[in-house]
Each structure stands twice: as structure tokens, then as C-alpha cells.
Amino acid sequence: ALTIIFNTTHPLSASAGFAILGGAITWELVSAFKDGFVKAKLTGRDLAKVNKPTLPESMGVICATVYLICLFLFIPFPFMDWFTGKGIISRSEEFHVPTFPHHKLGEFLSAMLSLQSMTFLGFADDVFDIRWRYKLLLPAIASIPILMVYYVNFGVTHIVVPIPLRFIFGRIMDLGFLYYIYMGMIAIFCTNSINILAGINGVEIGQSLIIACSIAINDLLFLNDADPAVEAHLFSLYFILPFIGVSLGLMIHNWYPSRVFVGDTYCYFAGMTFAVVGILAHFSKTMLLFFIPQIFNFIYSCPQLFRLIDCPRHRLPRFNPLTLKLEYSKVKIQKPLKPLSLLVLKIFMLLGLAEINEVGENSLEINNFTLLNLLLLRFGPLHEQTLAIFVMIVQILASCLAFTIRYRLVHFFYEI
Ligand code: UD1
Ligand code: MG
């Protein structure tokens, strides 16, 4: 791995260069465009502050644009040997005439097309506030280009069944068309799960950065020439390094106290970057392991997302102007409850995930079911910045768990 990392003529050095450049440009451009966004009424109110200041929103669109430009400029680098003739000379020793690796270029272009579509649709969502059920479909649409390339390049739709389940399904199971549904759902999940673990300064980018660094570390573990997966993990690094760069550039403005909001554009862009990389570099399962907090937050949110329990427009924690701290936010529901809602509440109570208070004759108050509120429920009121740091610690611990599962416990499930 070290020979690749310290080889300055390797495309990876160019990628790292674009990451640094992209970060600096994003940092600069966000400052330059802030007022323009306010004038264009792309704004949101910072709800967890005393005077609820109005801040420019959807700044993710700048971050994503800089990222895409970096990738456009980067495209020639992995193919440099072909342009300088080196690739042809070294391959001409083989007996067949080498052809340009169009399939690899196709992967690059489709990945960028998907990312660009997602950014565009995410920005449209920020401007028009698209309704929840349509919102869900946007990432599925944006993932069509990469699914198409996946079909043409690999077309692999079978999975190796984990050992404990083999007595039912056998060793190999072909999912066929369902595999494409699975990949589309990964795109829907990655994007939306980041979007709903949001609401306090710095948390959208914070979690994305930790996921991105975990993916990068995982890629580095595969970087030795003998590993058959080296190409795939290099592909992943080419996308993840600039992502880390531009996200850091935006983070400087979005960390507590925020000067700008990232908007749904950033959440979709970040999620789609992970989905693209996980799908085209074939490690979607490992990638999902880095999403443990998001998976938890999503499952925990399900009763509200599927309206078993009322879901207010905002579920972010409540700011207490007297203590200047955040407290968990609550939702009021009317009795009598549907049997299924009652069952969910009982289970959540048992697990210590819900706090229920009677208010008046026939209504109840429950905490909103999000990870942010749960942390506040367990640890008591916290300062906004402290809560953001807590979320990031949870994300880091989850990544440690993910690595343990992937490299230690994996032997219980697969013969590696
Ligand atoms: C998702 C959540 C919603 C949460 C919101 C916060 C679900 C189903 N939806 O909705 O509960 O309230 O994200 O992002 O879980 N904001 C702040 N401080 C921040 C970040 C955002 O006050 O640090 C507020 C601002 O008013 C901003 C708004 O949240 O304008 C952005 O909300 P938006 O992204 O439109 O909400 P959703 O993604 O639809
Ligand atoms: Mg959002």
C-alpha cells in the first residue's frame, strides 16, 4: 500500500491534490456566494439560537459543484498511461492488441452523471420543498446511470449466502432483478438517512466526513498490487478523497455556530457519493456497516415516518433560551391510539427509547424518535456543539464496530 501512496506519479496523488484544492475553493466560494443566496431567498432560520437568525441554505450546491469540477479535471489521470503510450507498450507484450478500457471510463462517467443528477434534484428539493413520498424516489432515478453501467460491466446479481443461512438458501443465491432493486434502495437509503439525522449545526457534514474517512481507511487496506480488488478500491478513493476535501471546506462555515446551512442538496450529494462508490467498487455491504447510526436512526424513526405516530414538520431538538441548551423535542398525540401504535410505544418504553407523559384528559406527549433526541433523553440537556460532538463520537464508535465486524467477526458468516 505504501508504494502506491508515496508514488507521486500515481493518479492517487492527483486525487489528493484535487481534494486539497477543492477544499480551499469551496471554503472561498461559500463566503463569496453567501449573500447571493440570501438575496435569492435560499435561506433557513437557525432554530437553536436565541434570535433565530436567517442563514443562507443549500450551500451544498457549491460544495457539489466544486467537487464535480474536480472530478471532471481528474478523469484523464487514471488513463494517463494510455495517453502517454506507456500502457500500450507494457501491454503489447501480450498477444492481443490492447484496447482502451472504455468500461472504466464508462464507470467514471456514469458515476458523475448520477452525482450530478442527484445534486440537481437535491437542489430542486431545497427550492420547491418536494413532498416526502416523491423525495424518496429522486435518488432511485439518479442511480439509473450507474445501475446501467453495472449491468453492462459486471451484471453480477448473485450473492454468497452467509454461513448460518445456507441451510435454507444454499451457498450462492441469484437475486436477478431484485439485486438492482437492492442497489436502488441503497441509493434511497444513503441519501435520506443522512437527511433525517440532521437539524443541529455541523451534524450533516460531521457524519458524512466520518463515513467518508472510514471508507477511505477501508480502501487503503486493499491497496497492494497483489490484491484483486485494488482497482475497485482505487476507484473508490478517487471519489472519496475530493469528497473529504470539499466537505471540510464547507464544514468550516457550517460548524457551530453555523454561518451557512448545507441544505438537502448536501445530504443527497453525500449519500449518493457513498452509494455510487459502494455499488461500483463492490463493497455495498461493508459500506452499509459504516451507516450503523443512520440505520438505527431510520428504524427508530419508522413509527413517525410511516405515521403510526404523528410526525411534525421538524423533529429537531428544542432550544431552551433560559439555559441556552438543547432539550429533546416532543410530539403531542391524541388518545385513543391505534393498536399498532400502542404496541410500538410499549416496545420503545421497554427498550428505554420512549418517554411518555400524560397531558390533560386525552392526549399524550412523547419524545420525537430521532437519535439526537434520544441522546438528549439519556444524557440530559446539552449545548448544541456538545451534542454535535456526541453524534460524531457515536459515528466513530460505530465505525470501529463496523471494522470489527468486517475483519474479525466475518469468519462466522463467510469463509474468508
Ligand atoms: C429533516 C427531518 C426533520 C428535521 C430537519 C432538520 C425527518 C423526517 N425530517 O427534514 O425532522 O427537523 O431535517 O434539518 O426526520 N436547521 C437548523 N439548524 C441546523 C440545521 C437545520 O435550525 O443546524 C433547520 C433550519 O431551519 C433549516 C431546516 O432545519 O432551514 C432545514 O430543514 P430541511 O432540510 O428542509 O428538513 P427536512 O430534510 O425535510
Ligand atoms: Mg434536510
Side-chain angles (χ1 to χ4, degrees), residues 119-132:
T119 306
F120 173 69
L121 293 171
F123 192 59
D125 180 25
D126 269 332
V127 176
F128 298 113
D129 248 324
I130 296 173
R131 299 181 63 176
W132 203 71

Side-chain angles (χ1 to χ4, degrees), residues 44-45 47 57 135 195 199-201 261 264 313-315:
R45 305 200 69 180
L47 302 172
E57 185 139 13
K135 235 170 156 146
N195 190 24
I200 62 164
N201 294 180
F261 285 142
D264 290 346
R313 168 68 183 88
H314 279 296
R315 300 191 298 159

Side-chain angles (χ1 to χ4, degrees), residues 11-238:
L12 209 48
S13 328
S15 182
F18 278 118
I20 296 169
L21 194 70
I25 295 177
T26 306
W27 178 27
E28 199 50 48
L29 283 187
V30 170
S31 305
F33 277 92
K34 260 190 327 205
D35 299 336
F37 273 59
V38 177
K39 275 201 198 106
K41 298 217 166 60
L42 289 165
T43 54
R45 305 200 69 180
D46 197 345
L47 302 172
K49 302 288 180 296
V50 180
N51 47 358
K52 299 192 176 27
T54 301
L55 302 185
E57 185 139 13
S58 328
M59 279 293 168
V61 76
I62 293 187
C63 175
T65 308
V66 174
Y67 175 81
L68 285 166
I69 296 174
C70 284
L71 282 188
F72 290 158
L73 295 173
F74 175 73
I75 300 177
F77 285 88
F79 304 100
M80 209 48 108
D81 282 354
W82 287 90
F83 302 139
T84 56
K86 264 198 245 158
I88 301 170
I89 293 162
S90 66
R91 281 179 182 78
S92 62
E93 291 156 13
E94 296 166 27
F95 289 103
H96 58 273
V97 180
T99 47
F100 184 84
H102 290 284
H103 62 285
K104 268 179 70 183
L105 183 61
E107 269 176 29
F108 259 92
L109 298 179
S110 69
M112 271 179 275
L113 187 55
S114 282
L115 283 168
Q116 193 164 357
S117 319
M118 194 69 261
T119 306
F120 173 69
L121 293 171
F123 192 59
D125 180 25
D126 269 332
V127 176
F128 298 113
D129 248 324
I130 296 173
R131 299 181 63 176
W132 203 71
R133 52 177 171 238
Y134 302 119
K135 235 170 156 146
L136 268 185
L137 282 177
L138 303 182
I141 296 168
S143 64
I144 293 172
I146 53 164
L147 296 189
M148 191 66 214
V149 165
Y150 185 91
Y151 177 72
V152 178
N153 278 3
F154 316 105
V156 179
T157 55
H158 61 255
I159 53 164
V160 181
V161 179
I163 295 168
L165 296 178
R166 284 198 191 150
F167 72 99
I168 311 176
F169 300 109
R171 212 183 96 77
I172 302 271
M173 191 163 73
D174 191 7
L175 294 182
F177 187 67
L178 286 181
Y179 197 79
Y180 290 89
I181 305 256
Y182 159 73
M183 290 189 290
M185 282 181 30
I186 284 188
I188 295 180
F189 174 75
C190 289
T191 47
N192 285 292
S193 67
I194 293 178
N195 190 24
I196 65 172
L197 185 46
I200 62 164
N201 294 180
V203 86
E204 295 100 327
I205 308 192
Q207 59 186 309
S208 306
L209 273 172
I210 293 166
I211 295 173
C213 291
S214 309
I215 293 179
I217 294 171
N218 183 56
D219 289 331
L220 291 175
L221 297 177
F222 286 87
L223 281 202
N224 69 65
D225 291 325
D227 202 299
V230 66
E231 284 281 320
H233 286 281
L234 274 174
F235 174 87
S236 161
L237 279 172
Y238 297 156

